[in-house]
Amino acid sequence: MAKITAIRGMNDNLPGQTVRWQYLESTLARILTSYNYDEIRFPVLERTELFKRSIGEVTDIVEKEMYTFDDRNGDSLTLRPEGTACCVRACEEHGLLYNQTQRLWYMGPMFRYERPQKGRLRQFHQLGVETFGMQGPDIDAEVILISARFWRELGIGEHLTLQLNTIGSAVNRRDYGAALVEYLSNRKSELDEDSQRRLESNPLRILDSKDPNTQALLDDAPKLHDYIDAESMAHFQGVCDILDACGVSYEINQRLVRGLDYYCNTVFEWVTDQLGAQGTVCAGGRYDGLVKQLGGRDTPAVGFAMGIERCTLLLETLNAYPDNVDAGPDVFVMLPDDKVGVQLMALVEGLRQALPGVQCVANCGGGSFKSQMKRADKSGARFAVIVGERELADNTVLIKPLRDASLEQQTVSRENMANALQALLAQQ
Ligand code: ATP
Ligand code: MG
């Protein structure tokens, strides 16, 4: 019978990979906690209407990328393509936005029906940060500082560039959009196909086009910043001032816009030249209009989402994982498959009790001394604990270093085993 395989664009994460994810996830969570951001979790399925209303009907996501189906009740449900709308829905539902500020984060799978390729999947993962209730440029800067700290602590800071822009208010964008359409409509035939379509539906997204001809046409087009009002410009300057004061450098890119309709003022992306076409690792900005658009009160909001897979690809490409990311266990205990083994299992449990956090493997399934030694070696363990005939007779264990040739093997009493191992493990 033909074997059943995974769905295209939806990856398994095998053990060698999950340790890398755990390293990344725990680093990110630690940094977020240091900024006093709280984790929020919400379902992967939501009503289709949530995304239609928030992301906007004329976006790539809603037009062609959503996994949407009717459940058995006939309700239209969608696997979340992004987290912001879900986060707002959850916060509103539980009254988290009323008269208060929130600094939140989440991490989990998102689903988009795209053409799978390097850095582009159908089930991918995002770390999202969302803040609510703060309207000054300080919070825009804070979320950018968090992202900058991610890269610094992951040791990949020099390979990521911060692109920064302001897209002003809805009125500014409407005026600019009109000017852009006027400029481009005489040259419509020279635009790439997507941009021709966007001329009617979403002209600002033309600035985003990857097509070199379209980009060349834009060189002489009206400039976005000429249409931004003084208030928005002051906000933008405020963000830049804080980034300057904190030593975070950026490039102002007037062609940076976001694909989603609910953004205003600040937008930013972290990009790398190390991943080919899928070079945007993290993207975000201010989205003051969204909460109201979803039926809540006017609530200022800023956030970003980073692509976990793109980040792991980057760490892999740059060889930036710490050396010990897939280190083996600390201790491998060799055990016979007999009554003695049964008794010794209690010894291993005692070790785990005495040394929480120490990784300890007990040999299961018996085997000769030689084959157990091979297993111990293959496991990558730093030390083997051996209880042979002699050790059994005098209630001792033999601790044998497996990696560090400068260490001597030693025999210790059973009571002293945990202490001795702890001392050995503390040495580098
Ligand atoms: P792109 O222009 O690459 O399609 P996007 O603008 O659709 O990105 P966002 O919706 O802003 O992406 O999502 C934030 C981040 O999530 C992206 O910068 C990227 O790192 C990641 N991401 C988005 N879509 C995918 C995908 N299909 N596979 C893997 N990562 C993704
Ligand atoms: Mg996309």
Side-chain angles (χ1 to χ4, degrees):
M1 223 195 299
K3 287 207 176 121
I4 298 170
T5 58
I7 295 167
R8 204 163 105 83
M10 304 204 176
N11 286 350
D12 298 308
N13 244 334
L14 303 181
Q17 193 61 21
T18 50
V19 288
R20 288 169 168 74
W21 277 56
Q22 285 168 355
Y23 158 72
L24 174 60
E25 289 167 352
S26 59
T27 304
L28 302 175
R30 176 172 50 73
I31 294 170
L32 286 158
T33 303
S34 81
Y35 283 83
N36 201 33
Y37 280 56
D38 298 317
E39 186 183 2
I40 182 168
R41 301 187 183 190
F42 32 78
V44 295
L45 260 188
E46 297 275 357
R47 293 179 202 285
T48 303
E49 194 54 30
L50 175 67
F51 303 112
K52 285 201 173 163
R53 240 206 269 171
S54 58
I55 298 171
E57 300 264 5
V58 287
T59 54
D60 286 352
I61 293 182
V62 172
E63 276 179 350
K64 50 190 187 201
E65 294 176 0
M66 294 205 303
Y67 278 92
T68 297
F69 62 94
D70 288 347
D71 77 356
R72 287 167 197 274
N73 273 335
D75 294 329
S76 180
L77 305 181
T78 294
L79 280 165
R80 62 185 189 194
E82 54 107 41
T84 305
C86 315
C87 186
V88 170
R89 198 268 311 134
C91 285
E92 268 296 308
E93 198 162 329
H94 300 284
L96 301 189
L97 302 184
Y98 185 67
N99 264 347
Q100 54 197 310
T101 59
Q102 293 290 348
R103 290 172 158 93
L104 303 171
W105 68 273
Y106 52 84
M107 191 149 35
M110 306 294 161
F111 304 84
R112 296 185 195 176
Y113 194 82
E114 302 198 68
R115 195 170 66 79
Q117 52 198 292
K118 183 181 172 189
R120 196 175 289 288
L121 297 156
R122 289 180 172 174
Q123 175 176 321
F124 63 101
H125 297 73
Q126 283 184 340
L127 175 281
V129 164
E130 320 285 357
T131 71
F132 299 98
M134 293 162 276
Q135 56 189 6
D138 42 8
I139 189 68
D140 306 42
E142 181 177 283
V143 301
I144 295 174
L145 291 171
I146 292 177
S147 54
R149 187 170 298 280
F150 286 169
W151 322 132
R152 209 177 314 138
E153 295 207 14
L154 291 167
I156 56 177
E158 66 209 68
H159 298 279
L160 284 152
T161 311
L162 173 59
Q163 304 256 314
L164 188 63
N165 194 22
T166 177
I167 55 171
S169 68
V171 174
N172 299 160
R173 285 199 300 286
R174 195 195 56 206
D175 294 348
Y176 175 66
L180 192 61
V181 170
E182 190 181 308
Y183 168 83
L184 289 174
S185 26
N186 300 329
R187 301 165 179 80
K188 187 168 175 183
S189 58
E190 296 166 61
L191 292 171
D192 62 278
E193 207 178 302
D194 269 349
S195 296
Q196 291 192 10
R197 214 163 34 88
R198 286 176 178 150
L199 207 51
E200 268 101 61
S201 61
N202 198 346
L204 259 69
R205 290 230 46 205
I206 297 174
L207 301 180
D208 226 11
S209 167
K210 302 270 191 295
D211 182 75
N213 285 334
T214 301
Q215 279 300 331
L217 266 186
L218 290 170
D219 286 342
D220 297 321
K223 298 282 174 289
L224 175 59
H225 283 201
D226 294 334
Y227 292 78
I228 306 290
D229 60 45
E231 195 185 332
S232 291
M233 263 307 170
H235 184 98
F236 187 56
Q237 191 55 50
V239 179
C240 294
D241 288 346
I242 296 173
L243 295 179
D244 291 340
C246 298
V248 171
S249 44
Y250 49 87
E251 282 172 12
I252 295 178
N253 175 1
Q254 289 201 44
R255 294 190 192 170
L256 179 69
V257 290
R258 303 288 308 127
L260 309 182
D261 283 350
Y262 50 62
Y263 284 94
C264 64
N265 284 327
T266 315
V267 293
F268 66 93
E269 282 189 2
W270 286 96
V271 294
T272 177
D273 57 10
Q274 303 282 316
L275 296 180
Q278 271 62 251
T280 305
V281 178
C282 175
R286 180 166 277 280
Y287 55 96
D288 292 348
L290 180 63
V291 178
K292 194 168 183 192
Q293 201 171 311
L294 286 174
R297 296 177 173 221
D298 239 340
T299 307
V302 193
F304 67 76
M306 73 170 267
I308 298 281
E309 282 84 354
R310 290 189 195 174
C311 195
T312 58
L313 273 173
L314 187 57
L315 289 165
E316 203 70 58
T317 308
L318 298 172
N319 225 340
Y321 284 111
D323 291 337
N324 64 356
V325 75
D326 54 0
D330 298 306
V331 183
F332 186 103
V333 185
M334 297 178 35
L335 293 177
D337 183 20
D338 58 15
K339 275 197 188 131
V340 175
V342 171
Q343 294 308 314
L344 288 177
M345 206 67 160
L347 184 75
V348 191
E349 278 298 294
L351 186 59
R352 295 187 175 115
Q353 183 82 14
L355 302 178
V358 166
Q359 281 183 45
C360 182
V361 184
N363 181 76
C364 288
S368 68
F369 178 82
K370 210 171 137 198
S371 68
Q372 292 203 36
M373 205 57 206
K374 263 194 196 154
R375 262 180 234 163
D377 200 42
K378 201 169 160 221
S379 77
R382 289 175 65 194
F383 298 95
V385 168
I386 301 161
V387 190
E389 307 252 313
R390 211 181 46 205
E391 289 81 17
L392 262 182
D394 56 12
N395 250 344
T396 56
V397 303
L398 176 67
I399 300 176
K400 189 175 160 62
L402 298 177
R403 312 285 144 202
D404 187 344
S406 70
L407 293 176
E408 299 276 322
Q409 64 177 34
Q410 50 179 285
T411 301
V412 298
S413 70
R414 285 195 187 179
E415 292 93 86
N416 271 335
M417 174 179 70
N419 282 342
L421 277 168
Q422 191 169 36
L424 284 165
L425 287 165
Q427 299 174 16
Q428 268 322 304

